[in-house]
């Protein structure tokens, strides 16, 4: 129970009718969950508008509603008007949970690529140093020993505050979280100050009818983080970094390969042996140390530099950083699976043309005998994505194995045929094997010494979605089954 006036204390609001001294039993933003004595926050969504359900909320016993439009409401209801109910939900949620973020050091990571890997690296380093760390990300939220699968990169503000509250209860001192541009635009992270805001990079992604109207809007939304944090840590090599930090209100630090960066990578070199790809470099500037990581590529240098830039603020020793960076792994992000002493096999989440091009380009730098790419595309999604991914793989891989991903309500063969349209623009070799396990079997059975084989698109997912049903399908399990079957056949 909490007094309504306490929930509103940090908001600009108008009392349209009723009073604010009343007790509130619950904070609700889904009309289906309205209960007796609750405050119902009317959110205007793309599919549904909470303002339409005010009469129904009153009938269910709601005590008050928070609105951003003129509404007609029964006299029994207290009506509070604010400029934006999404912002209102964030601030009332923070108050409902007694402002847990004020007792935590919250680190927010934004950018097109690298958010997930960076957050796991930071968690790994800080835990190595003895901190208890909560995580909110694309794949999952981690609260103590509990792991909660994620629906959105940045959850709704009420859930963010609930997680913070639970993390505090579990003894966490720090939280590292991915912050999407959508999350910032929709005020999901409003109502508290980040200890640190991190900018990894930005590319023209997430532009479309249900996301950002333009690249400029995307840039501006990313930039909101740097008006809501104490310290901003910025990738100075990104050509858009000046636009992202425009209007910032925080202290700034920079990282990158640039000689002018506050923390920079020098003498980068690739590490390559069968079954193992990595990278080593020297960190110079704010931290001076040798770094080696078991994840390939230049972007891995950026991810680890970002993690070092953050963790140095927590007085983590060089030794702890080195140990943690060697072992920091993210499920389904360049996840190497040991299957052979002769070739390298990995799983990665790359599921659009941009991420696949980045991945395959990185792996080509290791000069494999052959680069083999196995992937499919999701059903009931853009055909353009299929053409583009087919073209990227045809251009960069020596062999493409086209298979099924989540066909949803489409026929797998129809999706494969679309991918082949893109492949046809290249001279790349390919085979098509609709059954994903059979495709993986083919990849392993035909692996040659010096090959790098990447299973792209599924990553951390452990299911396949077919005709509205999710069936268990974890590529790690499939690989193990294939290895056992091949061993029996020898």
């Amino acid at each position: 129970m909490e007094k309504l006036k306490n929930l509103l204390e940090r908001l600009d609001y108008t009392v349209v009718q009723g009073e604010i001294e009343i007790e509130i039993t619950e904070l609700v933003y889904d009309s289906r969950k309205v209960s007796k004595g609750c405050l119902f926050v009317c959110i205007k969504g793309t599919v549904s508008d909470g303002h339409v359900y005010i009469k129904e909320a009153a009938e269910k016993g709601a005590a008050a509603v928070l609105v951003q439009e003129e509404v007609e409401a029964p006299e029994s209801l207290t009506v509070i008007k604010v400029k934006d109910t999404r912002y209102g939900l964030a601030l009332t949620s923070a108050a409902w949970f007694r402002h847990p973020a004020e007792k935590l050091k919250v680190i927010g990571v934004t950018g097109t690529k690298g958010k997930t890997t960076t957050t796991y690296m930071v968690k790994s380093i800080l835990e190595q140093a003895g901190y208890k760390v909560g995580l909110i990300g694309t794949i999952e939220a981690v609260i103590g020993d509990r792991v909660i699968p994620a629906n959105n990169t940045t959850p709704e503000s009420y859930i963010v505050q609930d997680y913070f509250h639970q993390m505090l209860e579990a003894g966490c001192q720090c939280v590292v979280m991915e912050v999407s541009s959508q999350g910032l635009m929709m005020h999901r992270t409003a109502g508290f100050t980040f200890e640190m805001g991190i900018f990894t990079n930005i590319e023209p992604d997430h532009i479309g009818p249900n996301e950002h109207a333009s690249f400029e809007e995307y840039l501006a939304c990313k930039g909101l983080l740097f008006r809501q944090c104490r310290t901003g840590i910025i990738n100075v090599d990104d050509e858009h970094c000046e636009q992202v930090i425009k209007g910032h209100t925080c202290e700034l630090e920079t990282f990158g390969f640039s000689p002018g960066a506050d923390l920079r990578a020098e003498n980068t070199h690739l590490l390559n042996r069968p079954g193992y790809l990595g990278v080593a470099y020297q960190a110079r500037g704010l931290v001076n140390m040798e770094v080696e990581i078991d994840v390939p590529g230049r972007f891995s240098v950026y991810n680890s530099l970002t993690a070092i830039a953050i963790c140095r603020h927590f007085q983590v020793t060089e030794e702890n950083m080195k140990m943690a960076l060697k072992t920091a792994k993210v499920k389904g992000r360049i996840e190497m699976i040991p299957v052979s002493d002769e070739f390298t096999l990995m799983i990665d989440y790359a599921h659009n043309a941009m991420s696949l091009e980045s991945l395959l380009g990185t792996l080509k730098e290791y000069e494999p005998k052959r680069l083999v790419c196995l992937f499919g595309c999701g059903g009931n999604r853009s055909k353009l994505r299929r053409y583009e991914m087919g073209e990227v793989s045809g251009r960069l891989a020596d062999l493409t194995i086209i298979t099924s991903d989540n066909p949803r309500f489409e026929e797998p063969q129809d999706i494969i045929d679309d991918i082949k349209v893109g492949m046809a623009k290249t001279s790349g070799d390919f085979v098509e094997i609709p059954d994903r396990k059979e495709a993986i079997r083919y990849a392993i059975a035909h692996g040659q010494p010096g090959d790098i084989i990447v299973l792209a698109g599924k990553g951390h997912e452990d299911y396949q979605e077919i005709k509205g049903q999710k069936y268990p399908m974890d590529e790690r399990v499939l690989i193990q089954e294939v290895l056992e079957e091949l061993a029996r056949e020898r």
Side-chain angles (χ1 to χ4, degrees):
M1 298 274 281
E2 188 64 74
K3 272 210 163 51
L4 178 58
K5 74 169 186 182
N6 296 341
L7 298 180
L8 301 171
E9 63 187 358
R10 298 188 187 182
L11 265 174
D12 288 328
Y13 62 90
T14 305
V15 181
V16 177
Q17 68 180 47
E19 54 170 307
I20 58 170
E21 289 292 340
I22 56 173
E23 293 280 353
I24 297 296
T25 57
E26 204 178 351
L27 184 58
V28 176
Y29 57 96
D30 181 338
S31 61
R32 295 165 298 185
K33 295 179 181 175
V34 167
S35 60
K36 189 171 171 56
C38 77
L39 167 62
F40 173 47
V41 182
C42 301
I43 301 290
K44 207 174 174 67
T46 48
V47 179
S48 180
D49 181 355
H51 294 80
V52 173
Y53 300 101
I54 287 175
K55 187 167 178 289
E56 185 185 311
E59 286 165 2
K60 287 182 177 177
V65 290
L66 194 68
V67 300
Q68 67 182 43
E69 294 178 352
E70 299 293 331
V71 295
E72 282 186 28
E75 285 180 18
S76 60
L77 217 51
T78 291
V79 179
I80 307 295
K81 190 164 182 281
V82 293
K83 187 180 174 186
D84 185 324
T85 49
R86 283 193 180 278
Y87 184 74
L89 176 62
L91 269 67
T92 51
S93 296
W96 179 259
F97 290 105
R98 308 287 170 89
H99 303 285
E102 292 177 1
K103 303 177 190 75
L104 295 160
K105 289 191 184 302
V106 184
I107 302 155
V109 183
T110 199
T112 306
K113 292 186 300 200
K115 296 190 296 292
T116 302
T117 304
T118 300
T119 54
Y120 280 85
M121 280 183 169
V122 170
K123 187 173 190 290
S124 175
I125 293 171
L126 291 179
E127 286 177 343
Q128 182 79 34
Y131 290 92
K132 194 155 187 185
V133 186
L135 180 139
I136 303 173
T138 305
I139 300 173
E140 61 200 8
V142 183
I143 304 170
D145 298 327
R146 285 178 58 225
V147 174
I148 306 157
N151 291 323
N152 297 321
T153 299
T154 308
E156 191 52 82
S157 56
Y158 178 91
I159 297 169
V160 169
Q161 294 295 337
D162 189 7
Y163 285 168
F164 287 166
H165 171 71
Q166 291 180 49
M167 287 169 183
L168 209 53
E169 298 277 295
C172 293
Q173 300 131 298
C174 323
V175 181
V176 58
M177 67 181 290
E178 294 182 50
V179 182
S180 67
S181 51
Q182 286 283 99
L184 287 159
M185 183 171 76
M186 294 180 166
H187 305 300
R188 291 177 187 155
T189 57
F192 64 94
T193 302
F194 288 90
E195 187 67 23
M196 290 177 210
I198 320 302
F199 168 62
T200 60
N201 53 60
I202 197 161
E203 292 184 32
D205 195 14
H206 303 292
I207 314 299
N210 295 323
E211 296 189 88
H212 296 288
S214 66
F215 185 52
E216 288 65 35
E217 184 190 279
Y218 184 40
L219 282 169
C221 288
K222 293 286 187 199
L224 294 171
L225 181 59
F226 304 100
R227 297 176 205 177
Q228 199 189 327
C229 67
R230 295 185 178 90
T231 302
I233 298 176
I234 311 294
N235 175 4
V236 76
D237 296 346
D238 190 280
E239 62 177 309
H240 302 289
C241 76
E242 288 296 327
Q243 288 163 276
V244 169
I245 59 174
K246 194 176 172 185
H248 72 87
T249 56
C250 58
E251 298 282 321
L252 285 182
E253 290 177 10
T254 59
F255 67 92
F257 286 88
S258 164
D262 297 326
L263 176 65
R264 58 196 173 274
E266 296 177 358
N267 304 323
T268 303
H269 53 282
L270 306 179
L271 305 171
N272 186 2
R273 29 185 204 274
Y276 175 90
L277 303 175
V279 66
Y281 65 93
Q282 291 170 314
R284 292 286 177 264
L286 293 171
V287 173
N288 293 293
M289 64 190 245
E290 304 289 323
V291 181
E292 183 179 317
I293 39 179
D294 295 358
V295 187
R298 188 179 171 89
F299 59 85
S300 298
V301 175
Y302 277 119
N303 293 342
S304 56
L305 263 186
T306 315
I308 292 167
I310 295 164
C311 293
R312 77 174 196 89
H313 285 271
F314 291 83
Q315 283 71 55
V316 179
T317 65
E318 280 185 24
E319 205 48 50
N320 275 337
M321 283 201 203
K322 284 182 181 180
M323 285 168 67
L325 285 170
K326 281 287 288 175
T327 57
K329 298 280 187 295
V330 185
K331 187 179 180 184
R333 307 290 166 115
I334 310 195
E335 180 184 350
M336 277 175 268
I337 310 289
V339 297
S340 168
D341 294 332
E342 295 190 322
F343 59 83
T344 303
L345 177 79
M346 67 181 67
I347 292 172
D348 191 82
Y349 187 51
H351 60 290
N352 58 34
M354 187 174 74
S355 55
L356 190 64
E357 181 149 16
S358 172
L359 172 67
L360 297 181
T362 291
L363 297 176
K364 276 186 92 68
E365 291 177 16
Y366 285 81
E367 299 179 353
K369 181 182 178 191
R370 293 186 312 163
L371 178 55
V372 179
C373 177
L374 178 153
F375 79 97
C377 287
N380 303 100
R381 297 290 186 271
S382 163
K383 282 178 178 277
L384 186 61
R385 174 178 285 192
R386 300 168 193 176
Y387 306 151
E388 289 173 345
M389 287 184 74
E391 190 174 344
V392 165
S393 190
R395 182 162 42 84
L396 294 175
D398 298 294
L399 173 65
T400 299
I401 302 171
I402 309 173
T403 186
S404 189
D405 193 290
N406 291 323
R408 299 188 175 89
F409 289 95
E410 286 192 68
E411 288 302 319
Q413 190 60 50
D414 292 343
I415 299 169
I416 288 170
D417 290 343
D418 284 337
I419 294 169
K420 282 155 59 180
V421 171
M423 288 288 310
K425 294 183 180 177
T426 74
S427 56
D429 288 337
F430 71 91
V431 295
E432 52 183 290
I433 305 172
D435 183 284
R436 200 165 181 110
K437 181 179 174 181
E438 286 307 308
I440 292 170
R441 180 190 175 89
Y442 180 91
I444 292 173
H446 292 82
Q448 297 175 17
D451 281 356
I452 295 176
I453 302 168
V454 58
L455 314 183
K458 294 299 288 176
H460 59 277
E461 291 180 357
D462 57 5
Y463 63 86
Q464 189 170 39
E465 194 177 331
I466 303 168
K467 303 256 190 294
Q469 288 278 96
K470 284 188 176 180
Y471 298 91
M473 192 191 77
D474 186 324
E475 287 188 319
R476 295 147 202 81
V477 174
L478 297 185
I479 290 165
Q480 199 52 49
E481 288 174 359
V482 164
L483 290 174
E484 288 167 8
E485 288 166 15
L486 289 172
R488 283 197 297 271
E489 289 168 16
R490 285 195 185 105

